[in-house]
Amino acid sequence: MKETLHRPFEIEVKEMEYFPVKKRKLNFFELIYIVNGTGIQYVNGNQFSYRKGNLFLLTPQDSYSFDITTQTCFLFIRFNEYYVRSKSPHDKDAVQCVENILQNASHRPGCILKNKTDKPLIAVLMESIISEQEHQQIYFTRITEQIVNTIITIVARNIALKLPKKIKENTGELVLEMLHFIQQHIFEPHLLNTEKLSTRFSVAPNYLGRYFKKQTGETLQDYITNYKVRLIETRLLHSDMRINEIAIELNFTDESHLNRTFKKIKGMSPSAFRKQYTVINTKVPV
């Protein structure tokens, strides 16, 4: 089911005992905040337990559904790229930066809040949106938009925590476009070699590697490998895919190649990593 956003920005608060649509696909961004309740989120073949205070970001590439365990109050914030671009016409670089960072959220399922100090801040902002929607006093729409702008910026900051360490607010647009392209085409390695990237971004092949490392602090190949390892982690922790299936999906030569790559970066085999998480997860309540 493909859903379309007819306005650049929408808010919806909904109490649910079951999620009526088995699988949704979007043509817009959707922030989903858990006001209260528990259950499981399914996104792109992975699953995540959710609880009060979790915030999920769904991108136009994602397909998702929820399995509700206890009655859940969802706060949906839907917006498209036009909404992000139109917020600051006098600061186009900042808007482009936020837009590119949001695009880099693809393939990053689960609660988006990685910065602990942002969690109570988001909770207050979400409560304020609900209050504005309930009372609808004068200027409530304008105030709600300002709160949403702040939330989007906080989300961008949390996504940026997973980008290379050198990425800052003033990082060049070109390298952000490269990162987005790499993540978008991570399952198509033939598009990610130096020759193809040089042609795609009009950068000389002998300069591309130096430029990428200067901007990100990582070599191009290291970034691609580290990003693949993060995807492997997600599949090990949140899906029942076998390791050989993950190897095929991510275009490793074979399962042994994946095992060597993963162990070099994480210090343990994929099987040990999955087993360790399973043990921890059985000891810590959701």
Side-chain angles (χ1 to χ4, degrees):
M1 178 179 179
K2 190 77 171 180
E3 294 193 22
T4 301
L5 190 67
H6 299 290
R7 292 178 291 173
F9 163 70
E10 289 180 358
I11 295 283
E12 183 181 16
V13 181
K14 210 164 188 179
E15 288 269 2
M16 293 185 181
E17 293 185 356
Y18 69 96
F19 201 76
V21 180
K22 289 297 181 185
K23 195 172 284 188
R24 285 184 168 181
K25 286 192 174 182
L26 315 173
N27 73 340
F28 50 86
F29 292 100
E30 187 168 40
L31 284 167
I32 305 177
Y33 181 72
I34 308 300
V35 180
N36 54 57
T38 59
I40 298 173
Q41 182 208 35
Y42 297 92
V43 58
N44 303 331
N46 302 302
Q47 64 182 57
F48 303 84
S49 297
Y50 72 78
R51 59 182 174 180
K52 178 180 179 179
N54 286 161
L55 179 64
F56 301 103
L57 172 63
L58 286 306
T59 75
Q61 294 84 14
D62 294 325
S63 175
Y64 78 94
S65 65
F66 285 94
D67 186 3
I68 297 173
T69 304
T70 62
Q71 182 170 316
T72 299
C73 181
F74 296 97
L75 170 54
F76 300 93
I77 302 175
R78 305 179 182 105
F79 58 96
N80 55 29
E81 292 184 17
Y82 171 77
Y83 178 80
V84 176
R85 289 197 300 268
S86 67
K87 289 301 99 183
S88 184
H90 303 297
D91 192 0
K92 293 182 179 178
D93 289 341
V95 173
Q96 185 66 54
C97 181
V98 171
E99 187 176 357
N100 276 307
I101 289 173
L102 287 174
Q103 288 286 2
N104 280 325
S106 59
H107 305 302
R108 293 237 182 99
C111 181
I112 205 71
L113 297 175
K114 307 302 180 187
N115 188 356
K116 291 182 179 179
T117 59
D118 284 337
K119 292 181 179 180
L121 177 56
I122 285 290
V124 170
L125 292 170
M126 294 299 184
E127 288 173 9
S128 299
I129 286 180
I130 293 172
S131 177
E132 290 297 330
Q133 296 299 302
E134 287 178 348
H135 297 102
Q136 297 196 5
Q137 297 182 26
I138 188 170
Y139 301 134
F140 86 94
T141 300
R142 186 172 181 180
I143 291 170
T144 298
E145 285 196 17
Q146 291 172 347
I147 296 171
V148 169
N149 294 342
T150 301
I151 290 170
I152 290 173
T153 304
I154 293 171
V155 166
R157 175 165 69 188
N158 279 266
I159 294 169
L161 292 174
K162 290 296 185 179
L163 292 175
K165 292 180 180 179
K166 278 196 173 184
I167 295 295
K168 304 295 182 185
E169 287 183 16
N170 60 350
T171 296
E173 179 182 329
L174 179 61
V175 77
L176 289 172
E177 289 180 358
M178 286 183 183
L179 293 174
H180 178 213
F181 184 85
I182 290 168
Q183 293 188 11
Q184 192 175 32
H185 298 282
I186 196 68
F187 305 114
E188 304 167 273
H190 64 284
L191 297 178
L192 303 183
N193 59 48
T194 299
E195 182 181 348
K196 289 290 178 61
L197 289 173
S198 297
T199 301
R200 173 71 174 74
F201 293 102
S202 302
V203 178
N206 60 353
Y207 176 66
L208 179 69
R210 295 199 305 276
Y211 170 78
F212 189 90
K213 186 170 185 179
K214 181 180 178 181
Q215 292 289 318
T216 67
E218 296 181 50
T219 68
L220 178 62
Q221 189 54 53
D222 282 348
Y223 177 76
I224 292 172
T225 300
N226 288 332
Y227 187 65
K228 281 188 173 184
V229 167
R230 290 203 298 271
L231 296 182
I232 294 168
E233 287 181 17
T234 298
R235 282 146 182 75
L236 290 172
L237 301 185
H238 303 292
S239 80
D240 57 3
M241 290 178 70
R242 296 191 295 271
I243 293 171
N244 69 316
E245 292 174 330
I246 301 172
I248 292 169
E249 181 191 30
L250 291 171
N251 292 284
F252 284 91
T253 307
D254 52 29
E255 186 175 333
S256 296
H257 182 202
L258 183 151
N259 283 333
R260 289 195 304 273
T261 301
F262 190 88
K263 189 171 185 178
K264 181 179 179 181
I265 294 174
K266 302 302 295 185
M268 66 179 75
S269 70
S271 297
F273 182 86
R274 174 175 265 170
K275 184 177 180 181
Q276 181 185 68
Y277 173 82
T278 302
V279 170
I280 293 173
N281 196 44
T282 57
K283 292 180 179 180
V284 180
V286 175

